């Protein structure tokens, strides 16, 4: 079959890498793609936020199946457009993607279906929000309601921080995303990510992971899109996964179906685990980046079969073939990230690295110039390895990192520390 993947990051490189290994995949196109993706698939430059453009491209290229990577095209309704055109699609409708696009919508769904989450209140102006913070005390969490590229969340340890965050959000720092502000109870515990495919009715867990959001070793410095990840997440024991399915994920899927907006795609539940129980931090309507890289490294070619079963509403007929393995990815970023960084520095040494079912450098933000690979983004490479133990995976990933010659880049040296310390 002919398959189109939308997106251009490490997540989409990992999706393409897994899909390409499946014999069902004949032609693979990634739009817009990047320099790493171009080594295994065709890349096409098109406006992936415009449903009509994507449908037109699918028709011209006889695309049988579309996999939508990032949240922006989902929130823009690209999955609605492709489904309406009769094209098999992996990714939720715009109405279902509100589980990521609006934090207050997610809270309403949790309230309607009884899913455990932090206590919360919604505000449309600063003064009542500030009164609420003064009444509740700290720590407290202040969130811009809409999509803010992962940056609209302030975990405030002091009242002054919380009040300043409220002023910033209503002052327009996050644009339209901050027109409404959600203030939440601070949840203690350990965070982990739980990935579940939903075809609207049936649900199938496809893996757990933990990422590292802070830029610096020891979880210090500013927040980023994620500096590394590993799978599985030991904190998400079988018992806690079962509880999360029964109390959070399945009730959400049933509530979305009941409202006439069934959830079809991957539901990424960010969970806080405390005293043996999970509560929901947030939903995302896509695979995590870089979590997808470790999930795909573990699932391999079967990822395509699972996504197809999801799109064809027959998730009850498939199962995941798990290996007893671990995967870990280290993000190499351009110096300065997540602040200002330079583009265009040259990366050497990639050709000599192993590329097989246990080792892969996924490209997140690269371009090709005169036959050389150059950095073209903040997060640039996802150096990923798999092993029988997490330690083995970690050592293999860092051995690859050390063989990459890129003076313009840096990475955290402690990915996996929490799980390895246990
Ligand atoms: P979100 O974008 O909602 O995932 O929030 C980003 C990060 O902020 C989460 O991954 C958590 O680390 C933290 N966070 C969000 N909400 C809470 C909460 N209610 N309690 C504690 N930490 C939170
Ligand atoms: N790594 C976090 C995310 O994809 O949202």
């Amino acid at each position: 079959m002919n398959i189109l993947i939308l997106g251009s990051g490490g997540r989409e490189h990992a999706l393409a890498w897994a899909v390409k290994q499946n014999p069902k995949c004949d032609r693979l196109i990634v739009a817009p793609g990047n320099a790493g993706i171009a080594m295994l698939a065709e890349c096409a430059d098109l406006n992936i936020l415009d449903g009509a453009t994507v449908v037109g491209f699918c028709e011209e290229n006889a695309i049988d199946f579309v996999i939508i990577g990032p949240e922006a095209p989902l929130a823009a309704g690209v999955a609605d457009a492709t489904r309406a055109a009769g094209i098999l699609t992996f990714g939720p409708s715009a109405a279902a993607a509100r589980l990521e696009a609006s934090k207050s919508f997610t809270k309403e769904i949790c309230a309607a279906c009884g899913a455990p989450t932090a206590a919360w209140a919604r505000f449309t102006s600063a003064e009542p929000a500030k009164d609420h913070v003064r009444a509740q005390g700290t720590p407290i969490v202040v969130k811009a309601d809409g999509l803010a590229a992962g940056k609209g969340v302030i975990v405030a340890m002091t009242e002054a921080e919380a009040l300043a965050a409220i002023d910033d959000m209503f002052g327009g720092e996050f644009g339209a995303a901050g027109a409404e502000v959600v203030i939440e109870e601070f949840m203690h515990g350990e965070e982990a990510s739980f990935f579940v495919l939903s075809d609207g009715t049936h649900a199938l867990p496809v893996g757990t992971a933990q990422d590292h959001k802070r830029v610096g070793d020891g979880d210090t410095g500013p927040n980023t899109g994620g500096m590394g990840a590993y799978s599985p997440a030991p904190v998400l024991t079988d018992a806690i996964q079962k509880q999360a399915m029964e109390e959070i994920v399945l009730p959400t899927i049933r509530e979305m179906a009941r409202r006439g907006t069934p959830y079809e795609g991957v539901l990424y539940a960010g969970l806080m685990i405390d005293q043996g129980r999970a509560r929901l931090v947030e939903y995302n309507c896509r695979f995590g980046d870089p979590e997808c890289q470790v999930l795909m490294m573990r699932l391999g070619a079967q990822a395509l079969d699972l996504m197809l079963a999801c799109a064809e509403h027959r998730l009850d007929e498939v199962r995941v073939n798990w290996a007893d393995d671990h995967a870990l990815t280290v993000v190499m970023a351009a110096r300065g990230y997540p602040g200002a960084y330079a583009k265009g520095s040259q990366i050497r040494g990639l050709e000599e690295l192993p590329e097989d079912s246990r080792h892969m450098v996924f490209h997140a933000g690269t371009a090709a110039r005169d036959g050389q690979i150059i950095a073209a983004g903040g997060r640039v490479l996802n150096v990923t390895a798999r092993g029988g133990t997490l330690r083995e995976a970690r050592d293999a990933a860092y051995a690859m990192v050390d063989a990459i010659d890129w003076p313009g880049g840096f990475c955290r040296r402690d990915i996996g520390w929490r799980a390895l310390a246990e």
Side-chain angles (χ1 to χ4, degrees), residues 11 71 100 149-150 193 195 210-213 224-229 268 282 284 286-292 379:
R11 168 180 47 212
E71 62 274 25
E100 172 163 0
S193 306
F195 296 89
Q210 279 179 294
D211 75 350
H212 297 62
K213 290 212 163 82
T224 69
M227 293 301 292
Y268 158 177
E282 59 157 358
N284 293 305
R286 50 176 174 82
F287 282 111
D289 189 346
E291 292 90 331
C292 185
R379 292 189 294 172

Side-chain angles (χ1 to χ4, degrees), residues 159-172:
E159 192 176 292
E161 259 179 283
L163 300 182
I166 291 168
D167 280 332
D168 288 348
M169 286 180 193
F170 285 116

Side-chain angles (χ1 to χ4, degrees), residues 103 118 141 143 153 184-187 191 213 281-282:
K103 297 193 190 292
V141 183
K143 299 185 174 183
V153 175
E184 278 186 22
E185 165 202 358
F186 174 82
M187 292 189 284
E191 267 186 281
K213 290 212 163 82
V281 178
E282 59 157 358

Side-chain angles (χ1 to χ4, degrees), residues 63-363:
I63 295 295
D64 302 296
F65 185 37
V66 182
I67 298 169
I68 303 177
E71 62 274 25
L74 294 165
V78 170
D80 302 80
T82 52
R83 281 203 187 91
I87 304 159
L88 203 55
T89 302
F90 181 81
S93 65
R98 286 186 73 206
L99 282 176
E100 172 163 0
S102 165
K103 297 193 190 292
S104 57
F105 176 74
T106 298
K107 290 295 195 180
E108 282 166 21
I109 295 287
C110 287
C113 72
T117 184
W120 65 289
R122 175 190 1 204
F123 299 92
T124 51
S125 62
E127 277 320 311
K130 290 182 178 177
D131 289 342
H132 181 76
V133 165
R134 292 188 191 104
Q136 295 294 315
T138 53
I140 198 158
V141 183
V142 182
K143 299 185 174 183
D145 184 60
L147 285 178
K151 296 188 183 84
V153 175
I154 305 294
V155 178
M157 289 299 156
T158 65
E159 192 176 292
E161 259 179 283
L163 300 182
I166 291 168
D167 280 332
D168 288 348
M169 286 180 193
F170 285 116
E173 183 166 338
F174 300 103
E180 285 193 3
V181 167
V182 169
I183 299 187
E184 278 186 22
E185 165 202 358
F186 174 82
M187 292 189 284
H188 293 273
E190 186 171 343
E191 267 186 281
S193 306
F194 187 32
F195 296 89
V196 180
L197 301 190
S198 164
D199 63 10
T201 317
H202 314 102
L204 181 72
V206 292
T208 63
Q210 279 179 294
D211 75 350
H212 297 62
K213 290 212 163 82
R214 303 293 188 125
V215 75
D217 281 13
D219 292 333
T220 54
N223 261 315
T224 69
M227 293 301 292
Y230 53 93
S231 172
V235 66
L236 275 180
T237 60
D238 289 348
I240 297 175
Q241 285 185 51
K242 185 163 178 281
Q243 175 247 329
M245 281 300 280
E246 285 170 1
E247 295 182 11
I248 301 174
V249 175
L250 291 170
T252 298
I253 289 170
R254 283 195 291 268
E255 177 64 16
M256 293 300 285
R258 193 188 66 75
R259 291 177 178 226
T261 51
Y263 191 92
E264 298 178 43
V266 60
L267 188 59
Y268 158 177
L271 303 175
M272 188 70 83
I273 293 101
D274 190 29
Q275 298 180 354
R277 267 190 94 233
R279 288 202 283 168
L280 183 73
V281 178
E282 59 157 358
Y283 279 129
N284 293 305
C285 62
R286 50 176 174 82
F287 282 111
D289 189 346
E291 292 90 331
C292 185
Q293 289 78 316
V294 285
L295 296 180
M296 291 304 128
M297 172 78 25
R298 295 185 64 210
L299 292 170
Q302 68 178 317
L304 175 60
D305 300 315
L306 300 173
M307 290 188 281
L308 270 174
C310 183
E312 292 173 341
H313 307 115
R314 47 176 186 82
L315 270 181
D316 54 328
E317 293 171 13
V318 292
R319 50 190 292 280
V320 181
N321 290 312
W322 291 112
D324 188 12
D325 62 353
H326 297 256
L328 183 144
T329 188
V330 178
V331 172
M332 297 186 78
R335 284 189 194 283
Y337 175 81
Y341 54 83
K343 290 187 181 178
S345 57
Q346 197 178 328
I347 304 168
R348 294 189 184 82
L350 294 174
E351 317 73 48
E352 285 97 69
L353 293 177
E355 258 191 29
D356 54 40
S357 64
R358 299 172 88 83
H359 307 86
M360 188 66 199
V361 177
F362 297 116
H363 290 218

